[in-house]
Amino acid sequence: MYAYFSETLLYLCFALVSGAIIMNGVPERKKPELRIPGMLLFNAVIGIAVLSLVPVIKNTIFLTQFAGPFWEIIDDVLLDLEFGKAWIWMFLLCTAFLALLSFRDLNRHRAANGIAAVLMLGLLFSYGWASHAAGQSESWGFLAQSFHLLAASVWIGVLLTAGWFAERSDRWLPFLQWFHPLAVVCVLVIVGAGFVMMAYIVPDYTNSWIISYGQALLIKHLLIIPVLAFGFLNGYRLKSKLKRNPHYDPRPSFRAESVLVTLIFAATAFMGMQRPPHDDPENPEPLVPSMLFRAIYGGDASTGLQIEPGFTLAGVVLAVISVCLLVLLIRIWGKNKPWLAACAGVLFTVSAYLSLMLSIP
Ligand code: HEM
């Protein structure tokens, strides 16, 4: 359990540091005034070094069953195995980053902010190197994972800093003029890279729903729909609201969207620690149906089952409820209740998930 929490926190640290670096690079007139505590950035970089060590320790503990006591094998893990070597690189990059932050305020020194951007790229690509997708393909798999994480960190990083560290401002329109196109490009990169990774890790999408990895991926995909609805509202509808009322405060809506995205991070953290569905010759153990799938499906949930969702009464009724919840989200957002709209987004995800699961004959 602790590992899912630490992984989610790690993704938030990646996003926060990326967002701060990008905002530092934007001219004052194109962004709201920001108050990002210096120590927060420092702690977020320490967080990246420490939290990215958690999966390394977890995997090393797993290897102690076959390779000997922890302290005897940890140096081999760090120096010989890809995920260990990736962490060594992250540790060195974080150390350089902390040294930079100790001597320079990134907000005042553009060159230092540029160096921080290069160090951050190194961290994201090092973490991408230790991933499932890179384990499957050292070229496209690695690049897809790294660009996926980079795009997610950039988009959500700016969203987090604008939502949680901005002062009241009348510069939201100039901010949206560059942030909205950036968010659209990031989402396209995220989705494109996501499908490339799925080609390597999840060869058969619907059949993967039987196991925990597939369940988490399905829930993640469904959570993306209300997030994209918020993205659309915070992109297009917010501009017209701000044109009508330049003093309108969009921060609560950015915060609500960032909480929904944190749920995606949590689903991804759980997913990344499950056994992926792709064939793994090194692990002959049969894949195990997930408890959630067995609980909802109820029938003989063996991994040989072919999942072909069809039209069932329960499935159709829940699908209609899901669409209504999505429309409700948009209506409630229009009435300036973004947190209630986010709740409708979570309810949409639950009903859409049940609709798909109960559509399996
Ligand atoms: C808002 C949208 C999304 C966000 C914020 C997001 C975020 C992330 C993050 C942070 C990771 C972990 C990277 C790592 O551990 O190195 C990840 C992994 C992944 N994502 Fe996404 N993602 C999003 C959308 C998608 C979409 C649309 C797909 C598929 C089409 C997808 C498929 C994957 C896969 C397959 C992985 C690899 C997990 C593993 O390590 O096994 N993601 N995502």
Side-chain angles (χ1 to χ4, degrees):
M1 189 62 188
Y2 68 89
Y4 307 142
F5 178 71
S6 76
E7 194 78 358
T8 306
L9 212 52
L10 174 64
Y11 299 148
L12 285 171
C13 288
F14 280 141
L16 186 67
V17 177
S18 307
I21 291 170
I22 289 164
M23 285 294 220
N24 285 338
V26 173
E28 292 301 325
R29 68 183 185 286
K30 287 184 174 288
K31 63 182 179 186
E33 199 182 328
L34 294 170
R35 285 210 190 298
I36 305 176
M39 276 317 287
L40 183 71
L41 220 50
F42 202 85
N43 293 334
V45 174
I46 293 174
I48 290 173
V50 173
L51 297 167
S52 58
L53 187 59
V54 173
V56 175
I57 292 173
K58 206 165 162 276
N59 293 338
T60 310
I61 292 170
F62 175 76
L63 291 171
T64 54
Q65 299 168 55
F66 325 106
F70 183 90
W71 294 113
E72 280 178 25
I73 64 170
I74 185 67
D75 50 344
D76 300 332
V77 168
L78 289 174
L79 301 174
D80 303 337
L81 299 184
E82 294 310 319
F83 66 82
K85 287 191 272 186
W87 186 78
I88 295 282
W89 273 109
M90 293 184 75
F91 178 73
L92 295 174
L93 289 165
C94 283
T95 309
F97 209 141
L98 293 174
L100 180 72
L101 289 175
S102 313
F103 294 106
R104 285 283 177 275
D105 174 350
L106 302 186
N107 197 15
R108 291 209 183 85
H109 296 84
R110 289 183 79 74
N113 197 50
I115 296 168
V118 174
L119 291 171
M120 196 60 213
L121 272 179
L123 284 170
L124 293 166
F125 278 68
S126 305
Y127 201 67
W129 184 253
S131 66
H132 283 143
Q136 290 297 103
S137 146
E138 289 184 355
S139 53
W140 289 110
F142 162 61
L143 288 174
Q145 179 92 24
S146 303
F147 278 101
H148 190 79
L149 184 58
L150 172 64
S153 301
V154 166
W155 166 40
I156 294 151
V158 175
L159 181 75
L160 277 174
T161 42
W164 297 94
F165 301 102
E167 302 288 302
R168 278 194 84 88
S169 172
D170 52 10
R171 292 194 295 249
W172 288 114
L173 263 177
F175 166 76
L176 282 176
Q177 260 131 31
W178 64 268
F179 174 54
H180 189 220
L182 175 73
V184 171
V185 170
C186 286
V187 168
L188 293 174
V189 171
I190 287 172
V191 173
F195 281 114
V196 171
M197 286 192 284
M198 283 178 66
Y200 288 106
I201 306 173
V202 194
D204 189 332
Y205 184 50
T206 51
N207 281 343
S208 79
W209 295 352
I210 301 172
I211 62 169
S212 297
Y213 190 99
Q215 284 280 307
L217 187 58
L218 172 61
I219 292 169
K220 174 178 176 169
H221 285 162
L222 292 172
L223 270 169
I224 293 168
I225 297 170
V227 166
L228 292 182
F230 257 89
F232 168 83
L233 295 166
N234 280 339
Y236 296 102
R237 294 272 300 277
L238 183 56
K239 278 185 193 141
S240 43
K241 271 190 190 243
L242 284 165
K243 282 180 184 140
R244 280 197 307 276
N245 168 13
H247 301 296
Y248 177 78
D249 185 5
R251 290 175 300 172
S253 185
F254 290 152
R255 290 173 185 174
E257 184 181 353
S258 69
V259 169
L260 281 178
V261 168
T262 304
L263 294 179
I264 292 181
F265 281 163
T268 306
F270 176 83
M271 177 173 88
M273 296 201 180
Q274 307 309 310
R275 187 166 156 208
H278 62 73
D279 289 339
D280 181 358
E282 280 164 30
N283 186 348
E285 287 295 310
L287 290 163
V288 181
S290 99
M291 270 201 315
L292 194 56
F293 181 84
R294 274 187 287 144
I296 297 174
Y297 180 68
D300 162 31
S302 69
T303 49
L305 187 67
Q306 290 302 310
I307 304 288
E308 282 145 13
F311 289 99
T312 63
L313 180 60
V316 171
V317 169
L318 282 161
V320 171
I321 292 173
S322 307
V323 174
C324 295
L325 283 165
L326 210 53
V327 172
L328 195 63
L329 179 158
I330 295 167
R331 305 289 301 270
I332 297 174
W333 186 91
K335 297 190 176 358
N336 301 332
K337 295 189 170 52
W339 290 106
L340 209 53
C343 294
V346 173
L347 289 175
F348 160 84
T349 307
V350 173
S351 65
Y353 168 79
L354 289 173
S355 166
L356 285 170
M357 290 300 292
L358 296 175
S359 300
I360 304 170

